[in-house]
């Protein structure tokens, strides 16, 4: 049986969020679509977007043969200009993708726009320890501070937690 392993804190993010079901958007899902397929296996209906057509192709291939209890849709889109109506999703997630996006705060604003009031915007991104381990070059402390400031500016109730490698933001949209 094929499996989607939880090796990088996916469960930690879900637990911190306390969400159990709903319509989910995963931005920058990547070709492995690890978070998106993990959620679809658990029964969430997931739309994953990525700006790379190669990633979309690989994500669809990866979904084949997986025992998904929820629906999974892969769609090419730019996280900074999402092709969805406002207030559409119950949960909007960025899992290890914000630091890959050229304009992360523009993407964060879009995540909040398409999340319904009362829904959750969930972000997991590398903390300074994670950056070292994954040999990334960006300034994690700066990005994480910007994310927190913008989420609060947008009026969200923000809970923050750390795993060994990640900073988790659980934001409730008012
Ligand atoms: C490290 S992967 C994300 C990993 C994935 N979320 C997971 O669950 O493991 C980062 C992805 O972000 C995508 N990306 C970068 N900029 C983007 C943008 N502006 N809009 C959408 N996707 C973007 C890249 O194409 C890449 O596939």
């Amino acid at each position: 049986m094929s499996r989607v392993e939880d090796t990088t804190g996916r469960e930690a993010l879900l637990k911190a969020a306390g969400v159990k079901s709903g319509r989910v958007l995963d931005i920058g899902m990547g070709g492995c679509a690890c978070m998106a397929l993990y959620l679809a296996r658990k029964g969430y209906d997931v739309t994953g977007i990525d700006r790379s057509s190669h990633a979309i192709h690989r994500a669809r291939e990866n979904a084949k043969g997986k025992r998904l209890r929820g629906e999974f849709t892969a769609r090419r889109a730019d996280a900074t200009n999402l092709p969805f109506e406002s207030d559409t999703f119950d949960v909007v997630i960025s899992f290890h993708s914000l630091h890959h996006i050229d304009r992360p705060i523009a993407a964060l604003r879009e995540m909040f726009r398409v999340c319904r009031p009362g829904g959750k915007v969930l972000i997991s991104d590398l903390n300074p320890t994670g950056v070292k381990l994954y040999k990334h070059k960006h300034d994690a402390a700066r990005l994480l501070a910007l994310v927190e400031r913008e989420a609060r500016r947008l009026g969200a109730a923000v809970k923050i937690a750390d795993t060994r490698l990640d900073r988790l933001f659980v934001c409730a949209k008012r």
Side-chain angles (χ1 to χ4, degrees):
M1 184 172 79
S2 57
R3 301 191 57 183
V4 180
E5 299 289 353
D6 179 26
T7 52
T8 55
R10 284 178 273 276
E11 191 64 46
L13 185 60
L14 271 198
K15 271 200 189 129
V19 286
K20 300 242 178 319
S21 62
R23 193 169 169 214
V24 179
L25 175 68
D26 183 22
I27 70 151
M29 75 175 155
C32 85
C34 297
M35 183 51 140
L37 293 176
Y38 175 79
L39 292 166
R41 261 176 65 85
K42 285 184 169 291
Y44 296 84
D45 291 327
V46 184
T47 300
I49 68 106
D50 203 287
R51 72 169 172 189
S52 150
S53 49
H54 180 63
I56 297 300
H57 175 73
R58 278 187 50 221
R60 287 179 182 149
E61 288 299 309
N62 273 341
K64 285 182 186 161
K66 297 272 190 310
R67 289 171 181 243
L68 305 181
R69 292 195 289 130
E71 285 176 20
F72 172 68
T73 307
R75 181 164 170 182
R76 188 171 179 214
D78 188 329
T80 63
N81 185 20
L82 292 169
F84 304 107
E85 299 283 325
S86 299
D87 306 338
T88 297
F89 294 93
D90 301 302
V91 181
V92 184
I93 295 187
S94 164
F95 188 83
H96 287 183
S97 65
L98 269 191
H99 66 275
H100 288 274
I101 296 174
D102 292 338
R103 295 165 53 230
I105 297 306
L108 184 66
R109 288 183 190 142
E110 278 292 86
M111 292 174 74
F112 271 90
R113 181 183 67 76
V114 301
C115 182
R116 70 165 170 78
K120 298 259 170 79
V121 172
L122 308 180
I123 295 146
S124 176
D125 219 295
L126 299 172
N127 63 27
T129 309
V131 165
K132 251 190 225 154
L133 191 94
Y134 283 93
K135 296 191 167 64
H136 279 272
K137 298 273 183 273
H138 69 282
D139 183 343
R142 181 169 179 275
L143 175 62
L144 299 174
L146 282 175
V147 167
E148 180 178 354
R149 194 177 69 190
E150 186 63 16
R152 293 197 196 282
R153 198 189 67 77
L154 290 166
V158 185
K159 277 198 305 180
I160 299 176
D162 264 312
T163 63
R164 194 166 75 82
L165 303 178
D166 293 327
R167 171 81 35 94
L168 314 179
F169 296 91
V170 175
C171 311
K173 178 172 166 180
R174 291 192 218 268

